[in-house]
Amino acid sequence: MAKIAQIIIGDELLSGKIQDLNLKWLADFLLPTGFKLNSSEIIGDEESQIIETLKNALAKNDAIIVTGGLGPTKDDKTKAVLAQFLGSQLEENQAAIELVTEHYKRFGKEWSKGHNGYHLIPSGVTPLKNPQGLAPGLMAEIEGKLIFCAPGVPREFQHMTSEVIYPLLSEKIATQSSELEIFNIRTFGIPEEKIFHEICPGLWEELEKFGSVSSLPQIMNVDITLRLTKDSELENKKIQIIEILKKTPIWKSVWQIGTIPLAAYIIEKAKEKNLTISFAESCTGGLTASNLTDISGSSSVFLGSVVCYANEVKTGLLGVKEQTLKDHGAVSAQTAFEMAEGARQSMKSDIAISFTGIAGPGGGSVEKPVGTVGIGWSTKNKTDSKLYQFHGDRLKLKERFMTKGLFKLLQIIESM
C-alpha cells in the first residue's frame, strides 16, 4: 500500500490560536483508497525545521502532502522553502499566472502581479488549480516520489485534495491495493474495553477474517470499522459479519451500520415515521437543538426547544409545579418528567426530551454531585424520566448529557 505523509505548517497551530481540521478529514478520505496515511506532523514556520521534516518524510513515504504556508504574507514560507529543498529558485510561471487569473475571476476580481507572489513558484514545480481559493497548489516530482503543497484552509484543502491531488496520486503512484469499502458498525452504551475484553473477547479476531479492523471510542458510543475489499464476495461478507454480530451480546447496542452522524440519523428516522420533536433544555443550554438544526432538512421534524435555565422559565413556560421544585429540586427525575411533558404539550410535538442537570464545576452536592442529570421523555402514550450520573468537565458533561438524550430519542423513534 502506497504511503502518504502529511506535514502541517503553521506557528499559529502550535501556539493554540487555531486548531487543525485537515488531519481527520484526510485520514477519512484516504481510508477506503489504496493509499495509507502513514504519518502526520505539525511544525512551525522555521525554514530549517521544514526542510528537515521534508527530508525525513520523503525517505519513508511515497508522497507528501504539505498544508499551509501558501498565502501572500511573510510567514507563508512554503514556496520559498520548497525551492530551497529542491535546490531551485522561485521564478515566474505562465501556468501559475493563468491559474491565479482564473481563480480571481471566479470571485469577480482582477489579478495583477503587484497583488502578491502567487505567480512565482520553484522552477520545475507544477502549479495546481485551487477549486475554492486564490493561491495555486504545487506538485514536485523527485525520483518517482511526489510532494504536494495545498492551502491550510480546510475548505480549500479538502476540495484541492479530492479534485486535484488524489487524481494525480492515482495516476502517478502505482498501488497494489484493491479498492476498499468501509463497513462501519456503530454501538452505544458499552465502553470499548468492555466490548473486546469482557463481553466479546474473540470478536476482533473473527472480524479480522474479513478485513482490517479498527475501533474508535466516541462520547458515548464506539465505532467498529472494517475495510472490506470490493470483490465478488463483498455482499456475502457483509451478511456474514452481521450474522456474527447478531450472535453477540453487543448486537442490541448496535444502532447503525453506516457512518451517518447521530443527529442526522435521528432526523432521517423521524422523517420516515412523520414524527415531530421538541426539547426542554436547562443544563444543555440549547446545545441539543443546535445539534439537530445543524442538519439540513431538520425543520421538517424539529419544532423547537425551550431553554429553561431559570426555575421561573420552567414553571412559567413549561408548567413545572412550584411544589415539584421545592420537594425534589430543579435537578431531579420529577422535574425532568414535568419539563418533557410541558414541552410536548406546549409545542404540540410527537416526542419531547428534557434535560436538567449539574454541569459544574460548582453546584454539586453529596446527594447530587456534578455530572448528575435528569432526562425526561414524553409521547402521547407515555411520559417518563430518569436520573443519570456522568463524569467530565463542564463542556464534556454538556455533550454527554445531550448525547444520552439523543440516543433515548432515537430509541423512542424506532419503537413508534
Side-chain angles (χ1 to χ4, degrees):
M1 181 175 286
K3 296 178 181 179
I4 309 296
Q6 181 188 33
I7 299 174
I8 305 163
I9 299 175
D11 285 342
E12 65 276 13
L13 292 161
L14 295 173
S15 67
K17 290 181 180 178
I18 63 171
Q19 183 179 7
D20 174 70
L21 301 175
N22 293 325
L23 169 56
K24 184 183 185 306
W25 182 89
L26 182 61
D28 289 341
F29 178 79
L30 292 177
L31 190 61
T33 72
F35 299 95
K36 176 186 178 184
L37 183 59
N38 195 40
S39 65
S40 180
E41 187 172 355
I42 299 176
I43 60 174
D45 296 320
E46 173 59 42
E47 294 179 15
S48 61
Q49 185 184 19
I50 297 171
I51 289 173
E52 185 65 22
T53 305
L54 281 169
K55 180 180 177 182
N56 292 337
L58 201 61
K60 300 173 184 177
N61 298 277
D62 300 289
I64 301 170
I65 300 177
V66 179
T67 66
L70 291 180
T73 58
K74 288 185 177 180
D75 61 348
D76 292 312
K77 301 177 180 179
T78 298
K79 286 195 299 183
V81 174
L82 181 62
Q84 187 178 342
F85 180 75
L86 298 173
S88 65
Q89 300 290 326
L90 291 178
E91 61 180 27
E92 188 172 295
N93 183 286
Q94 184 57 37
I97 290 173
E98 292 171 4
L99 281 174
V100 178
T101 302
E102 177 189 332
H103 295 165
Y104 269 70
K105 281 183 178 178
R106 188 196 309 132
F107 291 94
K109 299 178 180 180
E110 187 174 332
W111 175 82
S112 70
K113 294 177 183 179
H115 285 156
N116 47 55
Y118 287 160
H119 61 302
L120 303 174
I121 69 170
S123 59
V125 169
T126 304
L128 302 177
K129 180 179 180 179
N130 184 338
Q132 290 289 316
L134 299 174
L138 305 172
M139 180 183 71
E141 300 185 60
I142 307 173
E143 297 179 353
K145 297 188 175 185
L146 301 174
I147 298 176
F148 293 98
C149 298
V153 178
R155 182 187 71 258
E156 295 183 35
F157 170 75
Q158 292 169 18
H159 280 272
M160 185 180 287
T161 299
S162 59
E163 298 172 29
V164 181
I165 293 176
Y166 179 69
L168 288 167
L169 275 171
S170 302
E171 173 190 333
K172 293 178 177 292
I173 296 181
T175 175
Q176 300 299 317
S177 300
S178 303
E179 190 177 359
L180 302 174
E181 180 170 317
I182 301 304
F183 190 79
N184 198 51
I185 305 151
R186 314 200 81 174
T187 70
F188 169 73
I190 308 175
E192 180 184 40
E193 184 177 351
K194 193 169 184 178
I195 290 175
F196 294 107
H197 295 282
E198 184 179 332
I199 300 176
C200 305
L203 179 60
W204 191 287
E205 288 73 19
E206 280 196 81
L207 295 178
E208 275 189 319
K209 297 173 184 176
F210 300 94
S212 65
V213 181
S214 61
S215 175
L216 176 64
Q218 301 188 53
I219 291 295
M220 297 184 72
N221 55 298
V222 177
D223 280 9
I224 304 168
T225 303
L226 287 87
R227 294 166 53 139
L228 306 178
T229 302
K230 285 187 176 180
D231 56 23
S232 59
E233 290 297 311
L234 177 61
E235 295 306 317
N236 188 42
K237 290 175 192 174
K238 294 179 185 177
I239 293 170
Q240 290 181 61
I241 291 167
I242 291 174
E243 288 304 314
I244 288 171
L245 291 169
K246 284 181 177 178
K247 295 175 183 177
T248 69
I250 69 162
W251 178 247
K252 62 176 183 274
S253 300
V254 174
W255 61 276
Q256 183 192 158
I257 302 294
T259 58
I260 303 172
L262 176 58
Y265 195 69
I266 284 171
I267 297 297
E268 180 182 296
K269 293 299 176 182
K271 282 182 179 179
E272 288 176 5
K273 297 191 175 184
N274 198 30
L275 297 171
T276 55
I277 299 163
S278 65
F279 298 133
E281 301 186 68
S282 180
C283 56
T284 49
L287 180 64
T288 322
S290 176
N291 202 251
L292 247 62
T293 55
D294 284 345
I295 309 303
S296 176
S298 57
S299 59
S300 62
V301 299
F302 180 61
L303 301 184
S305 178
V306 175
V307 180
C308 47
Y309 215 62
N311 285 345
E312 293 80 4
V313 180
K314 293 180 179 70
T315 56
L317 293 183
L318 296 175
V320 175
K321 300 180 183 68
E322 294 276 4
Q323 195 64 41
T324 301
L325 293 169
K326 182 179 178 182
D327 292 345
H328 304 285
V331 180
S332 63
Q334 292 83 355
T335 297
F337 183 104
E338 294 183 11
M339 285 169 60
E341 194 166 63
R344 182 181 61 82
Q345 291 178 354
S346 64
M347 287 181 266
K348 296 180 173 56
S349 61
D350 295 306
I351 310 166
I353 304 290
S354 66
F355 305 83
T356 179
I358 307 167
S365 66
V366 175
E367 295 80 15
K368 296 176 184 177
V370 169
T372 302
V373 63
I375 296 178
W377 52 94
S378 181
T379 68
K380 66 178 181 179
N381 296 321
K382 182 180 181 181
T383 299
D384 206 346
S385 62
K386 189 174 179 179
L387 214 58
Y388 299 93
Q389 180 66 49
F390 298 103
H391 299 282
D393 60 29
R394 185 176 181 85
L395 295 182
K396 284 293 183 186
L397 283 171
K398 288 177 70 175
E399 198 167 358
R400 288 187 170 108
F401 297 164
M402 173 194 71
T403 305
K404 182 67 176 180
L406 287 179
F407 272 112
K408 184 63 188 180
L409 173 60
L410 177 60
Q411 183 184 22
I412 292 169
I413 291 171
E414 290 184 331
S415 70
M416 293 179 74

